[in-house]
Amino acid sequence: MKILSGRAHVSLAERIAEFLGEPLAGVEIRQFPDGEIFVKIKDNIRGRDVYVVQPTCPPPNRNLMELLIMIDAARRASARRITAVIPYFGYARQDRKDQPRVPITAKLVANLVTSAGANRVLALDLHSQQIQGFFDIPVDHLTAAPVMVRALKALNLPRPIIVAPDTGGVKTAYAYAKVLGWGLAISAKQRKDAQVVEPLGVVGDVRDKDAVLVDDIISTGGTLCGAAAQLKEHGARSITAVVVHALVTEEGVRQLESSSIDRILTTDSVPPREWGRMAVEVHSVAELLGEAILRIHNNQSVTSLFQL
Ligand code: R5P
């Protein structure tokens, strides 16, 4: 086995490698003055089972291109099998043609990863399940839910209720509610554009409850802040947000800090950022990804990793 890391999130790759008891393979990555990326794999990987760790988080275009170049380098270096380990799959929100003359960029990215030479993909909490089908190679789709559920239980919230922050998140929220044995509410929203979200109301009773919003991504914070404001109006007494991929922008941090959200639980699927005064717990998914890599390498089932 050889573990390679791009520049997107080296500390996560190091933690995965440490869990596996394997050093990261030597890779030289440079940028030419015109912005082009150069990759040279320094170790011999001929005949090896290679794992390229690279979330396609911001800056997405650079990180995606670097992932593709690394896969190509590994293929040309005669790796036996190449698994793209993508803890955060960018462009995932462009997964359908919901207006005329728009692309399905998530499908385009899946095609690029496959064409570059990946034989398998290991992903974590893809924005939608159907993205697995965009790949014509095997995809192991993990969820950080076991990590997040453990963290939620440790909070010992007295009157908890899970809340989906939009209708698209109901299925995931329901899965959390079922596992934890908690109730479920829905905060509805309408997205006006990438920056503006209009709250549309709350379905369910959150009065005097400790609301737990569950979402896959924070970007501008608009979805969570809008949902939190509605929950407060409906009488929620505390608000916790559980978000797997915290891609939050500067403006998002400011918005979230001045929102009614008391704390955020997230993972290190993307590089954790400085938050200022917001209470944020970052739970590592390195062990989960490492265990999945080990099982893929040994041709074992990964199903039990989903068990909560
Ligand atoms: C939307 O469908 C996603 O699950 C997230 O709710 C959304 O992408 C978060 O983005 P923002 O923080 O910009 O509202």
Side-chain angles (χ1 to χ4, degrees), residues 195-250:
Q195 317 279 340
V196 182
V197 168
E198 184 193 350
L200 292 180
V202 173
V203 181
D205 184 10
V206 295
R207 186 156 301 280
D208 295 327
K209 302 265 178 72
D210 298 297
V212 176
L213 284 160
V214 176
D215 208 351
D216 60 333
I217 300 170
I218 325 180
S219 171
T220 63
T223 303
L224 286 182
C225 293
Q230 296 201 97
L231 292 173
K232 270 283 159 195
E233 267 172 38
H234 284 74
R237 59 175 212 171
S238 79
I239 301 173
T240 300
V242 172
V243 183
V244 178
H245 310 295
L247 303 165
V248 64
T249 58
E250 286 294 331

Short mmCIF file of all heavy atoms in Angstrom, two decimals, residues 195-250:
data_model
loop_
_atom_site.label_atom_id
_atom_site.label_comp_id
_atom_site.label_asym_id
_atom_site.label_seq_id
_atom_site.Cartn_x
_atom_site.Cartn_y
_atom_site.Cartn_z
N GLN A 195 -25.81 33.43 -2.38
CA GLN A 195 -25.58 34.13 -1.11
C GLN A 195 -26.84 34.29 -0.26
O GLN A 195 -26.75 34.48 0.93
CB GLN A 195 -25.07 35.57 -1.37
CG GLN A 195 -24.02 35.71 -2.45
CD GLN A 195 -22.65 35.35 -1.93
OE1 GLN A 195 -22.43 35.37 -0.73
NE2 GLN A 195 -21.74 35.00 -2.81
N VAL A 196 -28.02 34.25 -0.91
CA VAL A 196 -29.24 34.63 -0.18
C VAL A 196 -30.22 33.46 -0.05
O VAL A 196 -30.56 32.80 -1.02
CB VAL A 196 -29.95 35.82 -0.89
CG1 VAL A 196 -31.19 36.25 -0.12
CG2 VAL A 196 -28.98 36.98 -1.06
N VAL A 197 -30.64 33.24 1.21
CA VAL A 197 -31.56 32.15 1.51
C VAL A 197 -32.78 32.74 2.20
O VAL A 197 -32.64 33.53 3.13
CB VAL A 197 -30.85 31.15 2.46
CG1 VAL A 197 -31.84 30.15 3.04
CG2 VAL A 197 -29.73 30.42 1.73
N GLU A 198 -33.99 32.37 1.72
CA GLU A 198 -35.20 32.91 2.36
C GLU A 198 -35.85 31.83 3.22
O GLU A 198 -36.23 30.78 2.71
CB GLU A 198 -36.18 33.35 1.26
CG GLU A 198 -37.41 34.01 1.80
CD GLU A 198 -38.50 34.16 0.73
OE1 GLU A 198 -38.21 33.92 -0.46
OE2 GLU A 198 -39.63 34.48 1.10
N PRO A 199 -35.97 32.05 4.56
CA PRO A 199 -36.61 31.06 5.42
C PRO A 199 -38.12 30.97 5.13
O PRO A 199 -38.75 31.99 4.87
CB PRO A 199 -36.37 31.61 6.83
CG PRO A 199 -35.36 32.69 6.70
CD PRO A 199 -35.49 33.23 5.32
N LEU A 200 -38.69 29.77 5.17
CA LEU A 200 -40.10 29.61 4.80
C LEU A 200 -40.98 29.04 5.92
O LEU A 200 -42.16 28.82 5.72
CB LEU A 200 -40.22 28.67 3.59
CG LEU A 200 -39.70 29.16 2.25
CD1 LEU A 200 -39.91 28.11 1.19
CD2 LEU A 200 -40.41 30.45 1.83
N GLY A 201 -40.39 28.75 7.09
CA GLY A 201 -41.21 28.23 8.18
C GLY A 201 -40.65 26.94 8.78
O GLY A 201 -39.71 26.36 8.23
N VAL A 202 -41.25 26.55 9.92
CA VAL A 202 -40.77 25.34 10.63
C VAL A 202 -41.92 24.34 10.71
O VAL A 202 -43.05 24.71 11.04
CB VAL A 202 -40.29 25.70 12.06
CG1 VAL A 202 -39.95 24.45 12.86
CG2 VAL A 202 -39.08 26.63 11.99
N VAL A 203 -41.63 23.08 10.39
CA VAL A 203 -42.62 22.02 10.52
C VAL A 203 -42.22 21.19 11.74
O VAL A 203 -41.11 20.66 11.78
CB VAL A 203 -42.63 21.11 9.26
CG1 VAL A 203 -43.69 20.02 9.41
CG2 VAL A 203 -42.82 21.92 8.00
N GLY A 204 -43.09 21.12 12.73
CA GLY A 204 -42.76 20.38 13.95
C GLY A 204 -42.66 21.33 15.13
O GLY A 204 -42.58 22.54 14.95
N ASP A 205 -42.66 20.76 16.35
CA ASP A 205 -42.67 21.57 17.56
C ASP A 205 -41.27 21.62 18.19
O ASP A 205 -40.78 20.61 18.69
CB ASP A 205 -43.69 20.97 18.54
CG ASP A 205 -43.83 21.83 19.79
OD1 ASP A 205 -43.28 22.97 19.80
OD2 ASP A 205 -44.48 21.37 20.75
N VAL A 206 -40.65 22.81 18.16
CA VAL A 206 -39.30 22.93 18.71
C VAL A 206 -39.30 23.76 20.01
O VAL A 206 -38.24 24.03 20.57
CB VAL A 206 -38.32 23.57 17.69
CG1 VAL A 206 -38.13 22.67 16.48
CG2 VAL A 206 -38.77 24.95 17.26
N ARG A 207 -40.50 24.15 20.47
CA ARG A 207 -40.58 25.01 21.66
C ARG A 207 -39.89 24.35 22.87
O ARG A 207 -40.12 23.18 23.16
CB ARG A 207 -42.05 25.31 21.99
CG ARG A 207 -42.25 26.29 23.12
CD ARG A 207 -43.58 26.99 23.04
NE ARG A 207 -43.77 27.73 21.79
CZ ARG A 207 -43.26 28.94 21.52
NH1 ARG A 207 -42.53 29.56 22.43
NH2 ARG A 207 -43.48 29.51 20.37
N ASP A 208 -39.01 25.11 23.53
CA ASP A 208 -38.27 24.66 24.72
C ASP A 208 -37.40 23.43 24.45
O ASP A 208 -37.07 22.69 25.38
CB ASP A 208 -39.22 24.35 25.89
CG ASP A 208 -39.91 25.62 26.36
OD1 ASP A 208 -39.27 26.68 26.28
OD2 ASP A 208 -41.08 25.53 26.76
N LYS A 209 -37.06 23.21 23.19
CA LYS A 209 -36.22 22.04 22.86
C LYS A 209 -34.79 22.49 22.54
O LYS A 209 -34.54 23.65 22.20
CB LYS A 209 -36.78 21.31 21.62
CG LYS A 209 -38.21 20.84 21.74
CD LYS A 209 -38.25 19.39 22.19
CE LYS A 209 -39.66 18.87 22.39
NZ LYS A 209 -40.37 18.66 21.16
N ASP A 210 -33.87 21.52 22.65
CA ASP A 210 -32.48 21.75 22.23
C ASP A 210 -32.38 21.27 20.79
O ASP A 210 -32.26 20.07 20.53
CB ASP A 210 -31.53 20.96 23.14
CG ASP A 210 -31.64 21.43 24.58
OD1 ASP A 210 -31.33 22.60 24.83
OD2 ASP A 210 -32.08 20.63 25.44
N ALA A 211 -32.48 22.22 19.87
CA ALA A 211 -32.54 21.87 18.44
C ALA A 211 -31.14 21.53 17.91
O ALA A 211 -30.16 22.22 18.22
CB ALA A 211 -33.12 23.02 17.65
N VAL A 212 -31.07 20.46 17.11
CA VAL A 212 -29.79 20.05 16.50
C VAL A 212 -29.98 20.06 14.98
O VAL A 212 -30.65 19.19 14.43
CB VAL A 212 -29.36 18.65 16.98
CG1 VAL A 212 -28.10 18.21 16.26
CG2 VAL A 212 -29.15 18.64 18.49
N LEU A 213 -29.45 21.09 14.34
CA LEU A 213 -29.52 21.19 12.88
C LEU A 213 -28.47 20.28 12.26
O LEU A 213 -27.30 20.33 12.67
CB LEU A 213 -29.23 22.63 12.45
CG LEU A 213 -30.36 23.64 12.68
CD1 LEU A 213 -29.81 25.06 12.70
CD2 LEU A 213 -31.41 23.49 11.58
N VAL A 214 -28.85 19.46 11.29
CA VAL A 214 -27.89 18.54 10.66
C VAL A 214 -27.78 18.89 9.18
O VAL A 214 -28.78 18.92 8.46
CB VAL A 214 -28.39 17.08 10.80
CG1 VAL A 214 -27.46 16.13 10.07
CG2 VAL A 214 -28.48 16.69 12.27
N ASP A 215 -26.55 19.19 8.72
CA ASP A 215 -26.37 19.53 7.31
C ASP A 215 -25.05 18.95 6.82
O ASP A 215 -24.18 18.60 7.63
CB ASP A 215 -26.38 21.06 7.13
CG ASP A 215 -26.87 21.48 5.75
OD1 ASP A 215 -27.04 20.61 4.88
OD2 ASP A 215 -27.06 22.69 5.54
N ASP A 216 -24.89 18.85 5.50
CA ASP A 216 -23.63 18.29 4.98
C ASP A 216 -22.55 19.37 4.81
O ASP A 216 -21.38 19.11 5.02
CB ASP A 216 -23.84 17.51 3.66
CG ASP A 216 -24.43 18.37 2.55
OD1 ASP A 216 -25.13 19.36 2.85
OD2 ASP A 216 -24.18 18.07 1.38
N ILE A 217 -22.98 20.59 4.42
CA ILE A 217 -22.01 21.64 4.07
C ILE A 217 -22.41 22.96 4.74
O ILE A 217 -23.60 23.28 4.80
CB ILE A 217 -22.03 21.87 2.53
CG1 ILE A 217 -21.66 20.60 1.78
CG2 ILE A 217 -21.13 23.03 2.12
CD1 ILE A 217 -21.88 20.69 0.27
N ILE A 218 -21.42 23.73 5.21
CA ILE A 218 -21.65 25.17 5.46
C ILE A 218 -20.75 25.89 4.48
O ILE A 218 -19.56 25.61 4.40
CB ILE A 218 -21.17 25.73 6.81
CG1 ILE A 218 -21.29 24.77 7.96
CG2 ILE A 218 -21.82 27.07 7.10
CD1 ILE A 218 -20.79 25.38 9.28
N SER A 219 -21.30 26.87 3.80
CA SER A 219 -20.48 27.70 2.93
C SER A 219 -20.63 29.15 3.39
O SER A 219 -19.85 29.66 4.17
CB SER A 219 -20.90 27.48 1.48
OG SER A 219 -20.26 28.40 0.65
N THR A 220 -21.71 29.81 2.96
CA THR A 220 -21.91 31.20 3.39
C THR A 220 -22.56 31.26 4.77
O THR A 220 -22.64 32.33 5.37
CB THR A 220 -22.86 31.92 2.42
OG1 THR A 220 -24.14 31.27 2.47
CG2 THR A 220 -22.34 31.88 1.00
N GLY A 221 -23.06 30.13 5.25
CA GLY A 221 -23.75 30.10 6.54
C GLY A 221 -25.22 30.51 6.41
O GLY A 221 -25.96 30.46 7.39
N GLY A 222 -25.64 30.90 5.21
CA GLY A 222 -27.01 31.40 5.01
C GLY A 222 -28.07 30.37 5.43
O GLY A 222 -29.04 30.72 6.12
N THR A 223 -27.87 29.12 5.05
CA THR A 223 -28.87 28.08 5.36
C THR A 223 -29.01 27.92 6.87
O THR A 223 -30.11 27.95 7.42
CB THR A 223 -28.43 26.74 4.72
OG1 THR A 223 -28.28 26.93 3.32
CG2 THR A 223 -29.42 25.62 5.01
N LEU A 224 -27.87 27.75 7.56
CA LEU A 224 -27.92 27.49 9.01
C LEU A 224 -28.42 28.71 9.78
O LEU A 224 -29.21 28.58 10.72
CB LEU A 224 -26.55 27.07 9.53
CG LEU A 224 -26.13 25.65 9.15
CD1 LEU A 224 -24.78 25.32 9.77
CD2 LEU A 224 -27.16 24.62 9.61
N CYS A 225 -27.95 29.91 9.39
CA CYS A 225 -28.36 31.11 10.13
C CYS A 225 -29.85 31.35 9.95
O CYS A 225 -30.55 31.69 10.91
CB CYS A 225 -27.58 32.34 9.65
SG CYS A 225 -25.83 32.23 10.06
N GLY A 226 -30.35 31.14 8.71
CA GLY A 226 -31.78 31.31 8.45
C GLY A 226 -32.58 30.32 9.27
O GLY A 226 -33.58 30.68 9.92
N ALA A 227 -32.13 29.06 9.29
CA ALA A 227 -32.85 28.03 10.04
C ALA A 227 -32.80 28.34 11.53
O ALA A 227 -33.82 28.23 12.24
CB ALA A 227 -32.23 26.66 9.77
N ALA A 228 -31.65 28.78 12.03
CA ALA A 228 -31.50 29.06 13.46
C ALA A 228 -32.43 30.20 13.87
O ALA A 228 -33.07 30.15 14.93
CB ALA A 228 -30.05 29.42 13.77
N ALA A 229 -32.54 31.24 13.01
CA ALA A 229 -33.41 32.37 13.35
C ALA A 229 -34.86 31.88 13.45
O ALA A 229 -35.59 32.26 14.39
CB ALA A 229 -33.28 33.45 12.28
N GLN A 230 -35.26 31.00 12.53
CA GLN A 230 -36.64 30.48 12.58
C GLN A 230 -36.87 29.64 13.83
O GLN A 230 -37.91 29.70 14.45
CB GLN A 230 -36.91 29.59 11.38
CG GLN A 230 -36.85 30.27 10.04
CD GLN A 230 -37.62 29.46 9.01
OE1 GLN A 230 -38.78 29.75 8.73
NE2 GLN A 230 -37.00 28.44 8.46
N LEU A 231 -35.87 28.84 14.18
CA LEU A 231 -36.01 27.97 15.35
C LEU A 231 -36.16 28.81 16.62
O LEU A 231 -36.97 28.50 17.50
CB LEU A 231 -34.81 27.03 15.48
CG LEU A 231 -34.71 25.97 14.36
CD1 LEU A 231 -33.40 25.19 14.47
CD2 LEU A 231 -35.89 25.01 14.43
N LYS A 232 -35.37 29.90 16.71
CA LYS A 232 -35.48 30.79 17.89
C LYS A 232 -36.89 31.39 17.95
O LYS A 232 -37.51 31.42 19.01
CB LYS A 232 -34.43 31.90 17.81
CG LYS A 232 -33.13 31.51 18.48
CD LYS A 232 -33.23 31.60 20.01
CE LYS A 232 -32.15 30.74 20.64
NZ LYS A 232 -32.16 30.37 21.95
N GLU A 233 -37.37 31.86 16.77
CA GLU A 233 -38.72 32.45 16.73
C GLU A 233 -39.77 31.45 17.21
O GLU A 233 -40.76 31.82 17.79
CB GLU A 233 -39.08 32.81 15.29
CG GLU A 233 -38.74 34.24 14.91
CD GLU A 233 -38.95 34.45 13.43
OE1 GLU A 233 -39.92 33.89 12.86
OE2 GLU A 233 -38.09 35.14 12.83
N HIS A 234 -39.51 30.17 16.92
CA HIS A 234 -40.47 29.13 17.32
C HIS A 234 -40.18 28.59 18.72
O HIS A 234 -40.71 27.56 19.11
CB HIS A 234 -40.50 27.99 16.30
CG HIS A 234 -41.24 28.37 15.05
ND1 HIS A 234 -40.71 29.22 14.10
CD2 HIS A 234 -42.48 28.05 14.62
CE1 HIS A 234 -41.59 29.38 13.13
NE2 HIS A 234 -42.68 28.69 13.42
N GLY A 235 -39.27 29.24 19.45
CA GLY A 235 -39.10 28.93 20.88
C GLY A 235 -38.03 27.92 21.23
O GLY A 235 -37.99 27.46 22.38
N ALA A 236 -37.15 27.55 20.29
CA ALA A 236 -36.08 26.59 20.65
C ALA A 236 -35.21 27.22 21.73
O ALA A 236 -34.95 28.42 21.71
CB ALA A 236 -35.23 26.27 19.43
N ARG A 237 -34.76 26.40 22.71
CA ARG A 237 -33.99 27.05 23.80
C ARG A 237 -32.49 27.00 23.54
O ARG A 237 -31.75 27.80 24.08
CB ARG A 237 -34.33 26.44 25.14
CG ARG A 237 -34.08 24.95 25.24
CD ARG A 237 -34.34 24.48 26.64
NE ARG A 237 -33.44 23.39 26.94
CZ ARG A 237 -33.31 22.87 28.13
NH1 ARG A 237 -33.97 23.36 29.15
NH2 ARG A 237 -32.50 21.86 28.32
N SER A 238 -32.01 26.03 22.75
CA SER A 238 -30.60 26.07 22.35
C SER A 238 -30.50 25.50 20.93
O SER A 238 -31.38 24.76 20.49
CB SER A 238 -29.73 25.25 23.31
OG SER A 238 -29.84 23.87 23.00
N ILE A 239 -29.42 25.87 20.23
CA ILE A 239 -29.26 25.40 18.85
C ILE A 239 -27.82 24.91 18.65
O ILE A 239 -26.86 25.65 18.87
CB ILE A 239 -29.59 26.50 17.82
CG1 ILE A 239 -31.05 26.97 18.04
CG2 ILE A 239 -29.39 25.99 16.40
CD1 ILE A 239 -31.45 28.15 17.22
N THR A 240 -27.72 23.65 18.24
CA THR A 240 -26.42 23.05 17.89
C THR A 240 -26.47 22.75 16.40
O THR A 240 -27.50 22.28 15.91
CB THR A 240 -26.22 21.73 18.67
OG1 THR A 240 -26.27 22.03 20.06
CG2 THR A 240 -24.91 21.05 18.33
N ALA A 241 -25.37 23.01 15.69
CA ALA A 241 -25.32 22.64 14.26
C ALA A 241 -24.30 21.53 14.08
O ALA A 241 -23.19 21.61 14.60
CB ALA A 241 -24.94 23.85 13.43
N VAL A 242 -24.71 20.48 13.36
CA VAL A 242 -23.82 19.37 13.03
C VAL A 242 -23.60 19.43 11.52
O VAL A 242 -24.55 19.29 10.75
CB VAL A 242 -24.47 18.02 13.41
CG1 VAL A 242 -23.64 16.86 12.90
CG2 VAL A 242 -24.64 17.93 14.91
N VAL A 243 -22.37 19.68 11.12
CA VAL A 243 -22.08 19.86 9.69
C VAL A 243 -20.80 19.10 9.36
O VAL A 243 -19.78 19.28 10.02
CB VAL A 243 -21.86 21.35 9.36
CG1 VAL A 243 -21.64 21.53 7.88
CG2 VAL A 243 -23.04 22.18 9.81
N VAL A 244 -20.86 18.24 8.35
CA VAL A 244 -19.68 17.41 8.05
C VAL A 244 -18.56 18.25 7.42
O VAL A 244 -17.41 18.20 7.86
CB VAL A 244 -20.05 16.23 7.12
CG1 VAL A 244 -18.82 15.40 6.77
CG2 VAL A 244 -21.12 15.36 7.78
N HIS A 245 -18.90 19.02 6.38
CA HIS A 245 -17.87 19.74 5.63
C HIS A 245 -17.98 21.25 5.91
O HIS A 245 -18.87 21.92 5.38
CB HIS A 245 -18.03 19.49 4.13
CG HIS A 245 -18.16 18.05 3.75
ND1 HIS A 245 -17.14 17.14 3.93
CD2 HIS A 245 -19.19 17.35 3.20
CE1 HIS A 245 -17.53 15.95 3.50
NE2 HIS A 245 -18.77 16.04 3.06
N ALA A 246 -17.08 21.77 6.74
CA ALA A 246 -17.14 23.20 7.10
C ALA A 246 -16.26 24.01 6.14
O ALA A 246 -15.10 24.28 6.42
CB ALA A 246 -16.71 23.39 8.55
N LEU A 247 -16.85 24.40 5.01
CA LEU A 247 -16.10 25.15 3.99
C LEU A 247 -16.28 26.64 4.19
O LEU A 247 -16.12 27.41 3.26
CB LEU A 247 -16.69 24.86 2.60
CG LEU A 247 -16.76 23.43 2.15
CD1 LEU A 247 -17.68 23.32 0.96
CD2 LEU A 247 -15.37 22.96 1.76
N VAL A 248 -16.66 27.00 5.37
CA VAL A 248 -17.20 28.33 5.63
C VAL A 248 -16.30 29.51 5.21
O VAL A 248 -15.10 29.49 5.42
CB VAL A 248 -17.64 28.40 7.12
CG1 VAL A 248 -16.48 28.26 8.05
CG2 VAL A 248 -18.43 29.62 7.42
N THR A 249 -16.94 30.49 4.60
CA THR A 249 -16.24 31.69 4.12
C THR A 249 -16.05 32.67 5.28
O THR A 249 -16.68 32.52 6.32
CB THR A 249 -17.09 32.39 3.04
OG1 THR A 249 -18.37 32.71 3.64
CG2 THR A 249 -17.33 31.51 1.83
N GLU A 250 -15.24 33.73 5.05
CA GLU A 250 -15.03 34.77 6.08
C GLU A 250 -16.37 35.37 6.50
O GLU A 250 -16.66 35.51 7.68
CB GLU A 250 -14.17 35.91 5.51
CG GLU A 250 -12.69 35.57 5.36
CD GLU A 250 -12.01 35.35 6.70
OE1 GLU A 250 -12.45 35.95 7.70
OE2 GLU A 250 -11.06 34.55 6.76
#
